[in-house]
Amino acid sequence: MTVRFGLLGAGRIGKVHAKAVASNPNAKLVAVADAFDKAAQDLAKSYGAQVRTIDDIEEAKDIDAVVICTPTDTHADLIERFARAGKAIFCEKPIDLDARRVRECLKVVEDTGATLMVGFNRRFDPHFAAVRKAVDDGAVGAVEMVTIVSRDPGAPPVDYIKRSGGIFRDMTIHDFDMARFLLGEEPVSVSAHAAVLVDKAIGEAGDYDSVSVILQTKSGKQAIISNSRRATYGYDQRIEVHGSKGMVAAENQRPVSIEIANADGYTRPPLHDFFMTRYTEAYANEIASFIEAMTKGKKAEPSGADGLAALLLADAAVQSVKEGKAIKI
Amino acid sequence: MTVRFGLLGAGRIGKVHAKAVASNPNAKLVAVADAFDKAAQDLAKSYGAQVRTIDDIEEAKDIDAVVICTPTDTHADLIERFARAGKAIFCEKPIDLDARRVRECLKVVEDTGATLMVGFNRRFDPHFAAVRKAVDDGAVGAVEMVTIVSRDPGAPPVDYIKRSGGIFRDMTIHDFDMARFLLGEEPVSVSAHAAVLVDKAIGEAGDYDSVSVILQTKSGKQAIISNSRRATYGYDQRIEVHGSKGMVAAENQRPVSIEIANADGYTRPPLHDFFMTRYTEAYANEIASFIEAMTKGKKAEPSGADGLAALLLADAAVQSVKEGKAIKI
Amino acid sequence: MTVRFGLLGAGRIGKVHAKAVASNPNAKLVAVADAFDKAAQDLAKSYGAQVRTIDDIEEAKDIDAVVICTPTDTHADLIERFARAGKAIFCEKPIDLDARRVRECLKVVEDTGATLMVGFNRRFDPHFAAVRKAVDDGAVGAVEMVTIVSRDPGAPPVDYIKRSGGIFRDMTIHDFDMARFLLGEEPVSVSAHAAVLVDKAIGEAGDYDSVSVILQTKSGKQAIISNSRRATYGYDQRIEVHGSKGMVAAENQRPVSIEIANADGYTRPPLHDFFMTRYTEAYANEIASFIEAMTKGKKAEPSGADGLAALLLADAAVQSVKEGKAIKI
Amino acid sequence: MTVRFGLLGAGRIGKVHAKAVASNPNAKLVAVADAFDKAAQDLAKSYGAQVRTIDDIEEAKDIDAVVICTPTDTHADLIERFARAGKAIFCEKPIDLDARRVRECLKVVEDTGATLMVGFNRRFDPHFAAVRKAVDDGAVGAVEMVTIVSRDPGAPPVDYIKRSGGIFRDMTIHDFDMARFLLGEEPVSVSAHAAVLVDKAIGEAGDYDSVSVILQTKSGKQAIISNSRRATYGYDQRIEVHGSKGMVAAENQRPVSIEIANADGYTRPPLHDFFMTRYTEAYANEIASFIEAMTKGKKAEPSGADGLAALLLADAAVQSVKEGKAIKI
């Protein structure tokens, strides 16, 4: 079976998903929609797809699934529309920045029985997936403590920050999902600290750029998250799972693996400087997983519920910083 | 100048310090005292020292300094006695498990003008010291976030746990000192989570074995500490300092640096399995620093105030777990 | 400009190049030829190409270039035919196993002015290319010594061995090319040792499976090559260039970068187990370089002369083993 | 039993051995002899030993063993004298630069039944010893190929070079011993290449500074050695043993294990810059092994025969370079 796709949104992340769909032997990119006609035209042309309006895609008989890459504030509405239209839905995270709106939306998804997958791409990174597999295979015994370091090469523009929902809902949310993915048990308590150390303008926009979080599950398992909007040495993405029998860790990735030694020491090149090069394989694997879910009747994961769970942890982190206490979930 | 030493306590850590004193070209081990005569005799014999009582050492004209390695509940009393006797004092951590008692003791030290150094040996590990030096040299710019992972190969006996003051005052206290050493600014807020995941007997003794802590300074710098009483792969001791210009990290140490590759992959041997082999150089450097402070008139550091500061962070962590909130210092 | 390709040979390596051509935005796969019709049909279908005979491709107006992936003993003839037909030619290594035949063939290429590039894919590996770039950028100063370790996960079938020209012409030839690529000066002397340590059947076929080679240039620069047909831990491919100012090295590549630590130590997964996964990027970059040479008028490298030079080193190595002496080139 | 030592030669390496003897619980440094009285006095004073003449040490009843650290051209004579005097002998490498003289000397040792150990310290490096142990334990199966990289931080003074017997007998000889130690079978063939790339003055002194060697055993096992008198990044000492079941490698050692990451990449400090800091543990273990051989009746290894075997490989390498062929042993 070939899954026929409509792509909503032809921006940066839309292009990534278009390529992933086009390269997949079980998928076909049929149509692209974007408010900017030229963006839609260019992308459609690259992959032999048509440009259509969102309305047309909604009603199209020749489209089985949509990939939603439009601005965040349109996600929930589009999910509801396409769920009702009987399409399978892959939506970039987040569903919405407001947990109540997410719950309403997921109700529609549930009522319609639609397939919904949320874009937490890191689960599909080969290295992180291998960590999860090692855990599942019992390599570390019972999971006890998870450590996640996640630092961006640089802060996004303040305009983006303002619309982002704040660092916990925009950036840490990936780590909340990864912590849930690896802990194997839901966090019930969240303590967070946050500060502005990188750029005052971020603070003036009401956000933080440097945060630390502890999650704890009912049985006492703990996850620690360290985030910064600054890492001069590249996109720093490490996870480590410590258990009763040992530890498994995923190392950082670099585009080139050479080392130069001289009188100053041994130097390896910086890490990837951009999430799209760091997570190229993850994005391809993610769409492949969505397609596999549709064609083989597997559950599409991460689900809408996963999206909600990560958002609730982000909300709790915001509250923890504000109130100076651990927040119960 | 040769510093003439009396050693109080000939147990495990006493032997470490006796060797460090005996190997130092500017020091001489003159006398050893221990409640168990045989232990004192054996150790004294190894280094050509005499066995004396604590009273005799206190009054001895041929002794300039003492190393206190007796049980924790005698530390504060001995510090006061030897401060009044005009001896320089190196005391194993902690001064006392009760911050009020520590304050009283430090008052005596201050009044007598005695030299007091507290045994936070990790500051003297060549690798951790090199991290601090890199920070001081500006290699990472302004410090923003410190990450400390510290896991013991195995839990101590429950009898020890009961007298230890609990994991925060016994184990994490080293990491609190290291965080202070590296942050360059005092923590003003502490959030801690704790659980019993390794050994129920530890929980029954009223303690935890797996803890996570966030420290935050006034300007927003953060330190994260992850502790476990269990690490099957050896003594896991890593620190990482992230700043405005970059990061510096100290890797784990292993006794042997080989790697075996076969069909199962590439395997390196486990880490050190004991703090005394891991920190051999640190202990020697620590006593050398104390001797240097005495002979060259430098300040002996870490000081009694450093010992107190780390204890207060431990007390705050205990309170944070109990009350489920960030504790202000 | 779009380069229109004919592919000769739809076997394993043919598929790799077909994909590289099809994925390249400046190329189009027009036709596929193979003695086995089904292989040609399947491959052509995957990329929307036609199946044609070699004769048809030779005469085709809609084909600018060919990729020769047929058996080795057809390479020289095909190069001559397509050179005379005015096509640009990318030919898998080697041109021929007999240096005289190679010289004849290159004479035809020269006379016709045809573009010929030989498939030494490793030059295009991002990591090895970065080593070369570091050398060119002066990172190690004047090159002095090159070390190449190249071990296959396992030996090919003895039937392949018999037709291969022997390990020096089949396997080491890649390392001879890499040594030339990195030394920056032609070797003038070759000493080689060889033995059968892996599989007696290889010895019975008249070949070796474990060889060591030293190359030396006129000015005294040296390259060491170590080859084995066996590496239980995967495809071991390392190079190191040592110069007057320092050293640059390319590390091995593994499909997944995780590490598991337990009581047995720290274990990382094996390396790639196959040259096609190890060199995926190299094959894509190689064809891209050929296309760039055609479209931008750059020199196609490695050239036929490079193919000959590596073969002459292989011949010298064979002779060195036989005669027990250093062979002058 | 305590072994009572006389030390002949109070220079750089004499000091290293004096310290090793003095630190060993089963040994006592009784006397020191040196042509320069002040050197002898200083060293003797440091360890509570006496200054004596070589004649006095030869006749002394209170001395069981000697450590010979005098200039190379005195080694063979001193070994003979002290063998006849009934002392156990530890002699720094080499016994002599002339294989005939070595044979004569070993005849005397054999006739007198004296204990003789030769100072190939690297066998006692914990990391290299662990490689050998892994091989003995079968971790890599049957040994097939050994790779040794050995580069000095800088060349010694030309005056030293002139007396050294040349790079093969002075520097590579350590690697010849290591190759024999790891191959588990005697080399029967040697091919060597050599050049002057580092310092013309070395060439004018009749020596080389950059050499490559292949050794081959009867069954076909091979060892490759790469030597340079220059390594800007420190004392580069790596070995790797490849066998039928896998590989074991010893990594380089650095004084401090930190890593700094910034916009230029990830940088670790240089390696040790001196053989005495690199091999501190090896020297202590070496003397301990000699003492253990004496006190526990074990064979002292490496023996005089080991010293001769390495010298013969060096002689063969010299001849191989001169004659441009593989030399049979």
Side-chain angles (χ1 to χ4, degrees):
Chain A
M1 174 194 166
T2 294
V3 180
R4 298 163 299 175
F5 275 89
L7 178 75
L8 316 185
R12 196 169 63 173
I13 192 70
K15 284 176 191 161
V16 170
H17 290 307
K19 185 175 178 181
V21 167
S23 307
N24 192 295
N26 299 314
K28 184 175 162 55
L29 184 63
V30 172
V32 176
D34 196 289
F36 294 91
D37 188 56
K38 181 164 168 20
Q41 293 289 356
D42 287 354
L43 190 54
K45 193 179 166 193
S46 299
Y47 297 105
Q50 299 175 349
V51 174
R52 297 189 190 168
T53 64
I54 289 181
D55 288 351
D56 287 346
I57 292 174
E58 190 178 350
E59 289 166 18
K61 294 258 153 63
D62 62 347
I63 284 182
D64 308 305
V66 289
V67 176
I68 301 178
C69 308
T70 50
T72 293
D73 57 8
T74 66
H75 287 184
D77 288 350
L78 288 171
I79 290 171
E80 291 178 354
R81 278 174 66 177
F82 282 91
R84 288 181 177 123
K87 310 298 188 200
I89 304 153
F90 175 92
C91 185
E92 261 306 306
K93 67 97 195 167
I95 296 173
D96 196 90
L97 294 171
D98 180 337
R100 277 177 306 182
R101 183 71 189 90
V102 174
R103 282 199 179 91
E104 285 171 14
C105 176
L106 294 185
K107 182 70 171 54
V108 173
V109 172
E110 193 184 350
D111 291 348
T112 58
T115 291
L116 171 64
M117 179 167 157
V118 174
F120 286 124
N121 59 299
R122 294 185 196 174
R123 292 190 183 203
F124 301 94
D125 175 67
H127 316 289
F128 295 168
V131 166
R132 168 65 186 264
K133 185 173 184 310
V135 170
D136 288 349
D137 291 350
V140 303
V143 172
E144 294 173 357
M145 306 184 90
V146 172
T147 306
I148 301 175
V149 171
S150 175
R151 297 173 187 147
D152 284 352
V158 169
D159 273 357
Y160 174 88
I161 295 270
K162 286 177 182 167
R163 298 187 316 266
S164 71
I167 188 169
F168 290 114
R169 293 188 191 93
D170 176 56
M171 179 177 172
T172 321
I173 199 164
H174 279 290
D175 307 305
F176 288 132
D177 182 63
M178 191 54 64
R180 291 183 62 246
F181 185 59
L182 295 170
L183 281 169
E185 188 184 326
E186 289 299 322
V188 296
S189 173
V190 181
S191 289
H193 285 242
V196 178
L197 299 171
V198 174
D199 185 352
K200 282 184 186 170
I202 291 174
E204 286 158 9
D207 198 7
Y208 312 104
D209 52 37
S210 306
V211 308
S212 302
V213 184
I214 302 170
L215 306 177
Q216 187 164 352
T217 71
K218 193 175 176 190
S219 74
K221 297 176 199 298
Q222 295 153 45
I224 277 183
I225 299 168
S226 177
N227 281 169
S228 171
R229 288 287 195 186
R230 160 155 67 193
T232 57
Y233 48 91
Y235 198 37
D236 186 0
Q237 302 275 292
R238 287 171 282 160
I239 58 173
E240 175 176 319
V241 180
H242 183 258
S244 56
K245 292 188 184 164
M247 179 183 73
V248 55
E251 302 159 10
N252 266 315
Q253 299 298 311
R254 22 175 70 74
V256 174
S257 305
I258 65 168
E259 189 161 39
I260 294 174
N262 59 30
D264 296 328
Y266 280 66
T267 301
R268 293 180 291 162
L271 308 177
H272 285 279
D273 59 0
F274 194 32
F275 73 92
M276 292 214 279
T277 55
R278 167 64 184 81
Y279 286 117
T280 304
E281 287 174 283
Y283 283 114
N285 294 347
E286 181 181 52
I287 285 292
S289 174
F290 178 65
I291 292 166
E292 200 180 340
M294 289 184 63
T295 55
K296 301 198 175 165
K298 290 190 186 172
K299 192 167 181 316
E301 280 196 312
S303 66
D306 290 315
L308 177 60
L311 181 62
L312 293 176
L313 291 172
D315 288 349
V318 171
Q319 191 184 348
S320 175
V321 172
K322 195 178 298 174
E323 303 183 5
K325 67 180 189 188
I327 303 301
K328 305 291 177 198
I329 304 282
Chain B
M1 174 195 167
T2 295
V3 179
R4 298 164 299 175
F5 274 88
L7 177 76
L8 315 184
R12 195 169 65 172
I13 192 70
K15 284 176 191 161
V16 171
H17 290 307
K19 186 174 179 182
V21 167
S23 305
N24 192 296
N26 299 315
K28 184 175 163 55
L29 184 64
V30 172
V32 176
D34 197 288
F36 294 92
D37 188 55
K38 180 161 169 23
Q41 292 290 355
D42 287 354
L43 190 55
K45 192 177 167 195
S46 299
Y47 297 106
Q50 299 173 350
V51 174
R52 298 189 191 167
T53 63
I54 290 182
D55 288 351
D56 287 346
I57 293 174
E58 190 178 350
E59 289 166 18
K61 294 260 153 61
D62 63 347
I63 286 182
D64 307 307
V66 290
V67 176
I68 301 177
C69 307
T70 51
T72 294
D73 56 9
T74 67
H75 287 185
D77 288 349
L78 288 171
I79 290 171
E80 291 178 355
R81 277 174 67 177
F82 282 90
R84 287 181 179 123
K87 310 297 187 198
I89 304 154
F90 176 92
C91 184
E92 260 306 306
K93 67 97 193 166
I95 296 173
D96 196 273
L97 294 170
D98 180 339
R100 277 176 306 182
R101 182 73 189 89
V102 174
R103 282 198 178 92
E104 283 172 14
C105 176
L106 295 185
K107 182 71 171 54
V108 174
V109 172
E110 193 184 351
D111 291 347
T112 57
T115 292
L116 171 63
M117 180 167 157
V118 174
F120 286 125
N121 58 300
R122 294 185 196 175
R123 291 191 183 202
F124 300 94
D125 175 66
H127 316 288
F128 295 168
V131 167
R132 167 66 186 262
K133 184 173 185 311
V135 170
D136 288 349
D137 290 351
V140 302
V143 172
E144 293 172 359
M145 306 183 89
V146 172
T147 306
I148 300 175
V149 171
S150 174
R151 296 174 187 145
D152 285 352
V158 169
D159 273 357
Y160 173 89
I161 296 270
K162 286 177 182 167
R163 297 188 315 268
S164 71
I167 189 170
F168 290 115
R169 293 187 190 93
D170 176 57
M171 180 176 171
T172 321
I173 199 165
H174 279 291
D175 306 305
F176 288 132
D177 182 64
M178 191 53 65
R180 292 183 62 244
F181 185 60
L182 295 170
L183 281 169
E185 188 184 327
E186 289 300 322
V188 297
S189 174
V190 181
S191 289
H193 284 243
V196 178
L197 299 172
V198 175
D199 185 352
K200 281 183 187 170
I202 292 174
E204 288 158 10
D207 198 7
Y208 311 104
D209 52 38
S210 305
V211 308
S212 301
V213 185
I214 303 171
L215 306 177
Q216 187 164 352
T217 70
K218 192 174 176 191
S219 74
K221 298 176 198 298
Q222 293 152 45
I224 277 183
I225 299 168
S226 177
N227 282 170
S228 172
R229 288 286 195 186
R230 159 155 69 193
T232 58
Y233 48 91
Y235 198 38
D236 186 0
Q237 302 274 292
R238 287 171 283 160
I239 58 174
E240 176 176 318
V241 181
H242 183 258
S244 56
K245 291 187 184 164
M247 180 182 73
V248 56
E251 301 160 11
N252 266 315
Q253 299 298 313
R254 23 175 70 76
V256 174
S257 305
I258 66 169
E259 189 161 37
I260 294 174
N262 59 30
D264 295 328
Y266 281 66
T267 301
R268 293 181 291 160
L271 308 177
H272 285 280
D273 59 0
F274 195 32
F275 72 93
M276 293 214 278
T277 55
R278 168 63 184 83
Y279 285 118
T280 304
E281 286 173 284
Y283 283 115
N285 294 347
E286 181 182 52
I287 286 292
S289 175
F290 178 65
I291 292 166
E292 201 180 340
M294 290 184 63
T295 55
K296 300 197 177 166
K298 290 189 184 172
K299 193 169 180 313
E301 279 197 313
S303 67
D306 290 315
L308 177 60
L311 181 62
L312 293 176
L313 291 172
D315 289 349
V318 171
Q319 190 184 349
S320 175
V321 173
K322 196 178 298 176
E323 302 184 7
K325 67 180 190 187
I327 304 302
K328 305 291 177 199
I329 305 282
Chain C
M1 174 193 168
T2 294
V3 180
R4 298 163 300 176
F5 275 88
L7 177 76
L8 314 184
R12 197 169 62 174
I13 192 70
K15 283 176 192 161
V16 170
H17 291 307
K19 186 175 178 181
V21 168
S23 306
N24 192 295
N26 299 315
K28 182 174 163 56
L29 184 64
V30 173
V32 176
D34 195 290
F36 294 92
D37 188 55
K38 182 164 167 23
Q41 292 289 358
D42 287 353
L43 190 54
K45 192 179 165 193
S46 298
Y47 298 106
Q50 298 173 350
V51 174
R52 297 189 191 168
T53 64
I54 289 181
D55 288 352
D56 287 348
I57 293 174
E58 191 178 349
E59 290 166 16
K61 295 260 157 61
D62 63 346
I63 285 182
D64 307 306
V66 290
V67 176
I68 302 178
C69 308
T70 51
T72 293
D73 56 8
T74 66
H75 287 185
D77 287 351
L78 289 171
I79 289 172
E80 291 177 355
R81 279 175 66 178
F82 283 89
R84 290 183 176 121
K87 310 298 188 200
I89 305 154
F90 175 93
C91 184
E92 260 306 306
K93 67 96 192 164
I95 295 172
D96 196 273
L97 293 171
D98 179 338
R100 279 176 305 183
R101 182 72 188 91
V102 175
R103 282 199 178 92
E104 284 172 15
C105 176
L106 295 186
K107 182 71 172 53
V108 174
V109 172
E110 193 183 350
D111 290 349
T112 57
T115 292
L116 171 63
M117 178 167 158
V118 174
F120 286 126
N121 58 300
R122 295 187 196 172
R123 292 191 183 202
F124 302 94
D125 175 66
H127 316 289
F128 295 167
V131 166
R132 167 68 185 262
K133 186 173 185 308
V135 170
D136 288 349
D137 290 350
V140 303
V143 171
E144 294 173 357
M145 307 185 88
V146 171
T147 306
I148 301 177
V149 171
S150 174
R151 297 174 186 145
D152 283 354
V158 170
D159 273 357
Y160 174 88
I161 297 270
K162 286 176 182 167
R163 298 187 315 267
S164 71
I167 188 169
F168 290 115
R169 293 188 190 92
D170 177 55
M171 180 176 170
T172 321
I173 199 165
H174 279 291
D175 306 305
F176 289 132
D177 183 64
M178 192 53 65
R180 292 183 62 245
F181 185 59
L182 295 170
L183 281 169
E185 188 183 328
E186 288 301 320
V188 296
S189 174
V190 181
S191 290
H193 285 242
V196 178
L197 299 171
V198 174
D199 185 352
K200 282 181 186 171
I202 292 173
E204 287 157 10
D207 198 7
Y208 312 105
D209 53 36
S210 305
V211 308
S212 301
V213 185
I214 302 172
L215 306 177
Q216 188 165 351
T217 70
K218 192 175 176 190
S219 74
K221 298 177 198 298
Q222 294 152 47
I224 276 183
I225 298 169
S226 176
N227 280 169
S228 172
R229 288 287 195 186
R230 160 156 66 195
T232 57
Y233 48 89
Y235 199 37
D236 186 0
Q237 302 275 293
R238 287 169 283 160
I239 58 174
E240 175 176 317
V241 181
H242 182 256
S244 56
K245 291 189 184 161
M247 180 184 71
V248 56
E251 302 160 10
N252 266 315
Q253 299 297 312
R254 22 176 69 75
V256 174
S257 305
I258 66 169
E259 189 161 38
I260 294 175
N262 59 30
D264 296 327
Y266 280 67
T267 301
R268 293 179 292 160
L271 308 176
H272 286 280
D273 59 0
F274 195 31
F275 73 92
M276 294 213 280
T277 55
R278 168 63 184 82
Y279 285 118
T280 304
E281 285 173 285
Y283 283 113
N285 294 345
E286 182 182 49
I287 286 292
S289 174
F290 179 66
I291 292 166
E292 200 179 341
M294 291 185 62
T295 54
K296 301 199 175 164
K298 291 190 186 170
K299 192 169 181 316
E301 279 196 314
S303 67
D306 290 315
L308 177 60
L311 180 62
L312 293 176
L313 291 173
D315 288 349
V318 171
Q319 191 185 348
S320 175
V321 172
K322 196 178 297 174
E323 304 183 5
K325 66 180 190 187
I327 304 301
K328 306 289 178 201
I329 305 282
Chain D
M1 174 192 168
T2 295
V3 180
R4 298 164 298 174
F5 275 88
L7 177 76
L8 315 184
R12 196 169 63 173
I13 192 70
K15 284 177 192 160
V16 170
H17 290 308
K19 186 175 178 182
V21 168
S23 306
N24 192 297
N26 299 315
K28 183 173 161 58
L29 184 64
V30 172
V32 176
D34 196 288
F36 294 92
D37 188 56
K38 182 166 167 19
Q41 293 289 357
D42 287 354
L43 190 55
K45 192 179 166 194
S46 298
Y47 296 106
Q50 299 174 349
V51 174
R52 298 190 191 167
T53 64
I54 289 181
D55 288 351
D56 287 346
I57 292 175
E58 190 178 350
E59 290 167 18
K61 294 257 157 59
D62 63 346
I63 285 182
D64 307 306
V66 291
V67 177
I68 301 178
C69 307
T70 51
T72 293
D73 56 9
T74 66
H75 287 185
D77 288 349
L78 289 171
I79 290 172
E80 291 177 355
R81 279 175 67 177
F82 282 91
R84 288 182 177 122
K87 309 298 189 200
I89 305 154
F90 175 93
C91 184
E92 260 307 305
K93 66 97 194 164
I95 295 173
D96 197 273
L97 294 171
D98 180 339
R100 278 176 306 183
R101 183 71 190 92
V102 174
R103 282 199 179 92
E104 284 172 15
C105 176
L106 294 186
K107 181 72 172 54
V108 174
V109 172
E110 194 184 348
D111 291 348
T112 56
T115 292
L116 171 63
M117 179 167 158
V118 174
F120 286 126
N121 58 299
R122 293 185 197 174
R123 291 191 183 202
F124 300 95
D125 175 66
H127 316 289
F128 294 168
V131 166
R132 166 68 184 261
K133 185 174 184 309
V135 170
D136 289 347
D137 291 350
V140 303
V143 171
E144 294 173 359
M145 306 184 88
V146 172
T147 306
I148 301 176
V149 171
S150 175
R151 296 174 186 145
D152 284 353
V158 169
D159 273 357
Y160 173 89
I161 296 270
K162 287 177 182 168
R163 297 187 316 266
S164 71
I167 188 169
F168 290 115
R169 294 188 189 92
D170 176 55
M171 179 177 171
T172 321
I173 199 164
H174 280 290
D175 306 305
F176 288 133
D177 182 64
M178 191 53 66
R180 291 183 65 245
F181 185 59
L182 295 169
L183 281 169
E185 189 184 326
E186 289 299 322
V188 295
S189 174
V190 181
S191 289
H193 285 243
V196 178
L197 299 171
V198 174
D199 185 352
K200 282 182 186 171
I202 292 174
E204 287 159 9
D207 198 8
Y208 311 105
D209 52 36
S210 305
V211 307
S212 302
V213 185
I214 303 172
L215 306 177
Q216 188 164 352
T217 70
K218 193 174 176 191
S219 74
K221 299 177 198 296
Q222 293 152 47
I224 277 182
I225 299 168
S226 177
N227 282 168
S228 172
R229 289 286 195 186
R230 160 155 68 194
T232 58
Y233 48 90
Y235 197 38
D236 186 1
Q237 302 275 293
R238 287 170 283 160
I239 57 175
E240 175 175 318
V241 181
H242 183 257
S244 55
K245 291 189 185 162
M247 180 183 72
V248 55
E251 302 161 8
N252 267 315
Q253 299 298 312
R254 24 175 68 75
V256 174
S257 306
I258 66 169
E259 190 161 37
I260 294 175
N262 59 30
D264 295 328
Y266 280 66
T267 301
R268 293 180 291 160
L271 309 176
H272 286 279
D273 59 0
F274 194 31
F275 72 92
M276 294 214 280
T277 56
R278 169 63 184 83
Y279 285 119
T280 304
E281 286 173 284
Y283 283 115
N285 294 346
E286 181 181 49
I287 286 292
S289 175
F290 178 65
I291 292 166
E292 200 179 341
M294 291 185 61
T295 55
K296 302 197 175 165
K298 290 190 186 171
K299 192 169 182 315
E301 278 196 315
S303 66
D306 289 315
L308 177 60
L311 181 63
L312 293 176
L313 291 172
D315 287 349
V318 171
Q319 191 184 348
S320 175
V321 171
K322 196 177 296 174
E323 303 184 5
K325 66 180 190 188
I327 302 302
K328 304 291 178 200
I329 304 284

